[in-house]
Amino acid sequence: MAECIVITSGKGGVGKTTTSANLGAGLALMGKKVAVVDADIGLRNLDVILGLENRIVYDLVNVIEGECRLKQALIRDKRVEGLFLLPAAQTRDKNAVSPDDMRRLVADLKEDHDYVIIDCPAGIEQGFKNSIAGADRAIIVTTPEVSAIRDADRIIGMVEAHDLPEPDLIINRYRAGMVSRGDMMNREDILEILAIPLIGMIPDHEDVIISANRGTPAVYDERSVVGAAYRRITNRVLGEEIPFPSFDVDANLWTTVKRWMGLAPVREAV
Amino acid sequence: MLELVNKLFGARQTTSKEDAKQRMKVLLIHDRVNLTPAQMELMKAELLDVIARYCEVDPEGVDIRLNRRDNGISLDSTVPVKRVTAKAS
């Protein structure tokens, strides 16, 4: 039974596209057949993050308007068996697609894939409504910042109003050093505010930018801490119980004093 | 008074994450109930009008606000009463 997961956040720039790419690739690495769909029509980026931007011929709007078959528009990722991208149109806007169109599209994709991952655009308008229309569940991405958390709370309410089950939460850009100094909300603070289950934490790490530069999601990199975090998320999506490693810096008095004196490193992530 | 105690015991400033958390808790309640600030003020005024029919209240000390509860939101109010004016019927 195939499943459609929408990756959403409300606020822009918190890591929806990175998460869509890594979760899609992660599920494919686990032997699943996956379609990742870029629903950000007019501002597509999932193609670049996946390194598939040079292979686009047709896009989502072409499929919906019947200008090509679904199979023609799906780009097969050659690095892993079973990963396909349906790119967004770049020269159209979000009103080119309706929620009914998306429901039909997702139903078609589910016939031939185990997972359909939808990369939702920022905002709460048409693009968001299209993205959640065909979804069976939602993953909300936030960062430990007040603006991202506020928007996440609003999106959680909208997801539940659309009769989707309680969404799961990814906390992105976690900075252990700032948390230990009391300058960033920690995991418990955020979960207390948003009150939905946690499915993953991603440290704020340069690997995210490096992997985006290369068009190769971090999940492929065995040594990357970001890749490891996304592999854990992948396994949790598949229903496994994976413990959460602590990213937090040891904050006892002695290490704090040493850090002040510049003798101990401020470890930002495991 | 509290400030004095804090000074005496050298209490630190709150950390920025505590500020963030407190502000978020209050903000999200108001986001969730979808009441505009004007509606909220109107509701407070109407509530006080009703209470004033029965009691003489001290308007200075009135505090009516939305708070989080485990399973939702509550409207908590503190309304200092100077004197109960209504006659027992």
Side-chain angles (χ1 to χ4, degrees):
Chain A
M1 178 65 191
E3 187 172 52
C4 177
I5 307 172
V6 60
I7 311 297
T8 184
S9 68
K11 189 176 179 301
V14 297
K16 288 180 297 296
T17 302
T18 305
T19 295
S20 301
N22 278 284
L23 178 58
L27 287 166
L29 284 171
M30 297 300 288
K32 301 296 178 186
K33 194 172 179 193
V34 186
V36 288
V37 178
D38 190 345
D40 200 348
I41 294 159
L43 288 171
R44 76 175 172 216
N45 271 322
L46 189 52
D47 54 333
V48 185
I49 298 300
L50 283 167
L52 299 173
E53 70 274 17
N54 290 326
R55 296 184 43 209
I56 297 175
V57 181
Y58 296 110
D59 59 48
L60 184 151
V61 176
N62 293 139
V63 174
I64 280 168
E65 295 186 343
E67 289 156 2
C68 68
R69 283 177 293 113
L70 181 55
K71 281 237 166 77
Q72 291 176 290
L74 284 168
I75 302 165
R76 191 174 72 82
D77 191 322
K78 290 169 182 163
R79 288 165 298 199
V80 60
E81 188 73 27
L83 180 60
F84 298 84
L85 167 69
L86 181 59
Q90 185 69 327
T91 54
R92 302 292 294 273
D93 69 68
K94 291 167 174 82
N95 300 319
V97 179
S98 74
D100 278 339
D101 293 332
M102 284 298 283
R103 264 189 284 274
R104 274 191 293 272
L105 178 72
V106 168
D108 288 348
L109 285 167
K110 278 164 83 171
E111 294 208 344
D112 207 26
H113 299 82
D114 300 312
Y115 284 93
V116 178
I117 308 292
I118 307 219
D119 182 18
C120 178
I124 53 174
E125 300 89 11
Q126 186 72 24
F128 169 75
K129 286 172 186 147
N130 288 340
S131 297
I132 62 169
D136 301 305
R137 61 188 280 202
I139 293 178
I140 315 275
V141 184
T142 193
T143 66
E145 292 159 86
V146 288
S147 49
I149 289 173
R150 182 194 200 174
D151 291 0
D153 186 73
R154 206 160 162 71
I155 288 291
I156 291 166
M158 297 182 90
V159 163
E160 287 174 349
H162 276 81
D163 285 337
L164 289 177
E166 184 175 51
D168 292 300
L169 184 71
I170 290 178
I171 301 172
N172 194 14
R173 298 225 186 94
Y174 194 79
R175 294 180 64 168
M178 288 191 74
V179 167
S180 74
R181 292 195 296 274
D183 278 329
M184 182 174 272
M185 284 180 274
N186 64 25
R187 180 173 120 183
E188 285 67 35
D189 296 326
I190 297 167
L191 294 180
E192 187 187 329
I193 292 167
L194 293 178
I196 58 171
L198 184 68
I199 200 167
M201 300 240 298
I202 322 283
D204 189 13
H205 195 279
E206 59 188 32
D207 280 358
V208 174
I209 292 170
I210 294 170
S211 60
N213 288 344
R214 299 196 198 286
T216 305
V219 75
Y220 292 121
D221 184 351
E222 286 290 330
R223 290 162 305 172
S224 165
V225 292
V226 172
Y230 276 117
R231 285 191 291 276
R232 286 191 293 272
I233 290 171
T234 301
N235 286 319
R236 293 187 193 112
V237 165
L238 290 168
E240 282 182 50
E241 291 274 338
I242 309 287
F244 288 86
S246 171
F247 291 149
D248 292 335
V249 175
D250 180 21
N252 68 37
L253 184 63
W254 179 234
T255 55
T256 306
V257 170
K258 284 207 291 189
R259 206 171 291 128
W260 283 342
M261 298 190 298
L263 296 174
V266 177
R267 203 159 42 113
E268 290 289 337
V270 286
Chain B
M1 182 61 196
L2 188 64
E3 262 182 53
L4 184 69
V5 172
N6 280 344
K7 270 183 194 161
L8 282 176
F9 290 94
R12 288 189 308 137
Q13 258 186 306
T14 56
T15 60
S16 71
K17 83 121 188 202
E18 286 167 43
D19 290 346
K21 198 175 168 186
Q22 270 326 106
R23 291 175 57 219
M24 278 297 99
K25 283 183 173 177
V26 174
L27 176 64
L28 294 187
I29 292 163
H30 287 269
D31 280 356
R32 285 175 196 176
V33 290
N34 258 330
L35 275 180
T36 65
Q39 287 171 319
M40 190 72 196
E41 286 309 308
L42 186 64
M43 180 177 73
K44 284 184 198 173
E46 289 189 24
L47 279 171
L48 283 180
D49 280 349
V50 173
I51 294 166
R53 279 187 232 152
Y54 302 90
C55 311
E56 190 180 330
V57 303
D58 174 13
E60 292 289 299
V62 171
D63 181 21
I64 302 175
R65 65 173 74 186
L66 295 162
N67 280 317
R68 266 165 79 113
R69 284 283 173 275
D70 288 340
N71 46 2
I73 296 164
S74 70
L75 181 72
D76 296 346
S77 59
T78 304
V79 182
V81 174
K82 281 181 178 166
R83 181 154 64 108
V84 180
T85 53
K87 290 185 185 104
S89 56

